[in-house]
Amino acid sequence: MRGFLASSIGVATAAALALPLALPTPALAESAAPAGPAGSTQSLPLVPLGPGRDRATGAPGMSASPRVPEAQGLPAREVKTFSLVGVVWDDAATELLGSVQVRTRSVDGGFWSDWQDVETHNSEHAADPDGAERSSGRVRGGTAPLWVGPSDGIEVRVQAESRVRTLSSLPTGMRIELVDPGEVRPPAPDDKNGSTPTDGDTGTDGGTDGGTDGGTDGGANGDHKGQPSMVPGMTMEMAESSLANVPHAPLGATEIAELNKADATADAVFAGDAVEAAARPYIGPRPKIITRRGWGADESLREAGFVYTQSVKAAFVHHSASGNNYACKDAPAVLRSLYRYHVVSSGWRDFGYNFAVDKCGNVYEGRAGGIGKPVLGAHTMGFNSNSMGIAVLGTFTASEPPQAAVEAVAKLTAWKLGLFNADPRGKAVLKSAGGNKFPRGRNVSLNVISGHRDGFATECPGKRLYGQLPPTRTASARLQGRP
């Protein structure tokens, strides 16, 4: 692919680096949503790059048949500020058999990045094939999103695989989505929908945050009020940039109260009738969870109402495949960008995952509906029912996941799976709703803590994170108090 566009891209790159980019057409402004505190999305159509090939024979040159471009993209151009990119196309069932690369110009310094790869296999992060969310008519195919940080210039190239260039292999209607997360000021510590945790807070789990219960807020013993919380593997730099002043779902309080006042509390299980969590023998201490309000979710974007399944029998661990180039203080902006990409660009009803974890081990509420409930997500096509999805922010194919993030996954699963009496070291039987690994209707035995690849043929959650799942199961069970 790199050879195919080498000469033309070299010229374009040199020009882009030498000259300031200008906003090329009024159409760009028309395609962008109005800027505002809730963020915006620019959606720009990709155009053919280079010569085409005959649709029937695959041969280059003149032909009466329509010609298929071997590559599509977008020449270097100036755009409104954005921080996350992804490519979407019309048909969610169509796979992009090829590669996607982007270059971006940083707002801070005005320099262009090197070409960055965008993960193309993203369709497996989606609603089940026959689900209402999947058949809404708004769902589009798309790559994984890539976090690039505040940028105001973009160049894109998409190329079909060499083995399929004789076919109409590139999806129709490809567009580059440029997402601006917007600026959101965290609510004050006494906000009615959340509270700022401090060391020494005692909750209904019977433990003391940051104390002998294992640090349910991600803190370590001996932390002092006003000092950054530390967990094993967290550097002081990471701790200082952690999210100490955003609201966390308080212990024993009602989640997202202003959206659904009848929502379950964190200490009750949704199973037709409320069952006290304390009645179950193995429930890990509840970690502090940053609410949707805490990370600035624009609730007007998602569909109203919530969809629940019967239970939470298993947890699927994912990586967001959005790159590792973010600071923990930027994680709320990353989440707001992912949320907009899932809903506005991809057409999903809400954020796809039930929870997210950043590199510092902060845990975030994902899809709305109540963190103690079995909310139906769109994370593991074929196995969204009776499961939950946890996305670790980053890409862990070749990079090791931070220990703080791995420990946060163990803490979160110990609590949430414990609410539904699930042993993290055990097996769960889930019925497939259809996918590329198990046919629809098959009952499949899976680990209670599984990687995405266990239910769908994918690289997710990356080789390195997947390799951390066996010790995570052991740690989660230990936190539940299991022998």
Side-chain angles (χ1 to χ4, degrees), residues 112-125:
W112 283 86
S113 71
D114 294 331
W115 285 103
Q116 301 182 75
D117 294 318
V118 178
E119 174 59 59
T120 59
H121 303 291
N122 193 49
S123 60
E124 63 267 20
H125 301 263

Side-chain angles (χ1 to χ4, degrees), residues 149-400:
S151 306
D152 60 6
I154 183 69
E155 186 175 3
V156 186
R157 61 189 187 191
V158 181
Q159 183 161 348
E161 292 180 359
S162 58
R163 65 184 177 88
V164 293
R165 287 183 193 166
T166 58
L167 305 176
S168 181
S169 56
L170 290 180
T172 60
M174 287 198 299
R175 307 177 71 85
I176 183 75
E177 302 287 291
L178 309 175
V179 181
D180 172 23
E183 296 292 333
V184 176
R185 182 178 62 83
D190 59 353
D191 187 277
K192 67 178 181 179
N193 196 44
S195 61
T196 302
T198 57
D199 296 333
D201 289 347
T202 302
T204 56
D205 59 5
T208 301
D209 296 350
T212 57
D213 62 0
T216 62
D217 65 343
N221 295 339
D223 284 349
H224 297 285
K225 194 170 183 178
Q227 296 295 320
S229 297
M230 298 287 288
V231 296
M234 180 188 289
T235 66
M236 179 59 70
E237 180 181 2
M238 294 166 70
E240 288 175 347
S241 65
S242 65
L243 302 156
N245 295 315
V246 298
H248 294 60
L251 291 164
T254 301
E255 285 83 47
I256 52 174
E258 80 281 14
L259 298 177
N260 180 4
K261 294 185 184 301
D263 201 8
T265 69
D267 302 307
V269 178
F270 181 87
D273 56 341
V275 178
E276 287 298 322
R280 298 189 182 277
Y282 300 116
I283 302 174
R286 181 185 154 186
K288 289 294 181 63
I289 299 172
I290 298 170
T291 63
R292 287 169 63 93
R293 185 177 179 87
W295 56 262
D298 179 356
E299 300 296 352
S300 69
L301 293 180
R302 66 172 179 83
E303 289 187 18
F306 313 106
V307 182
Y308 302 103
T309 58
Q310 294 180 337
S311 183
V312 177
K313 297 180 179 180
F316 286 98
V317 178
H318 306 255
H319 66 172
S320 63
S322 53
N324 302 319
N325 189 28
Y326 73 94
C328 291
K329 65 181 177 60
D330 297 324
V334 175
L335 288 169
R336 293 196 302 275
S337 298
L338 292 172
Y339 176 41
R340 287 193 68 90
Y341 187 72
H342 287 177
V343 177
V344 177
S345 301
S346 302
W348 300 357
R349 65 175 291 121
D350 193 357
F351 190 79
Y353 310 101
N354 298 103
F355 297 94
V357 174
D358 70 20
K359 64 174 67 174
C360 289
N362 297 299
V363 180
Y364 303 83
E365 177 186 15
R367 178 161 289 207
I371 60 175
K373 287 184 177 182
V375 179
L376 178 67
H379 48 84
T380 306
M381 187 192 298
F383 293 100
N384 289 305
S385 291
N386 298 323
S387 71
M388 69 174 184
I390 304 168
V392 181
L393 300 182
T395 303
F396 304 108
T397 303
S399 299
E400 288 291 342

Side-chain angles (χ1 to χ4, degrees), residues 41-182:
T41 302
Q42 301 170 71
S43 185
L44 307 176
L46 303 188
V47 299
L49 298 175
R53 289 180 177 268
D54 182 85
R55 188 179 296 274
T57 67
M62 299 299 292
S63 171
S65 302
R67 301 209 305 165
V68 183
E70 290 182 349
Q72 294 186 34
L74 197 67
R77 65 187 297 176
E78 182 177 296
V79 292
K80 294 181 179 180
T81 301
F82 66 94
S83 294
L84 178 139
V85 303
V87 171
V88 300
W89 52 89
D90 293 340
D91 185 3
T94 300
E95 184 178 0
L96 196 166
L97 300 175
S99 57
V100 177
Q101 291 187 312
V102 299
R103 292 174 65 243
T104 57
R105 188 178 69 179
S106 171
V107 168
D108 184 15
F111 59 87
W112 283 86
S113 71
D114 294 331
W115 285 103
Q116 301 182 75
D117 294 318
V118 178
E119 174 59 59
T120 59
H121 303 291
N122 193 49
S123 60
E124 63 267 20
H125 301 263
D128 293 337
D130 293 334
E133 182 171 356
R134 181 82 174 192
S135 59
S136 66
R138 299 184 296 104
V139 178
R140 293 194 277 181
T143 66
L146 178 67
W147 175 261
V148 296
S151 306
D152 60 6
I154 183 69
E155 186 175 3
V156 186
R157 61 189 187 191
V158 181
Q159 183 161 348
E161 292 180 359
S162 58
R163 65 184 177 88
V164 293
R165 287 183 193 166
T166 58
L167 305 176
S168 181
S169 56
L170 290 180
T172 60
M174 287 198 299
R175 307 177 71 85
I176 183 75
E177 302 287 291
L178 309 175
V179 181
D180 172 23

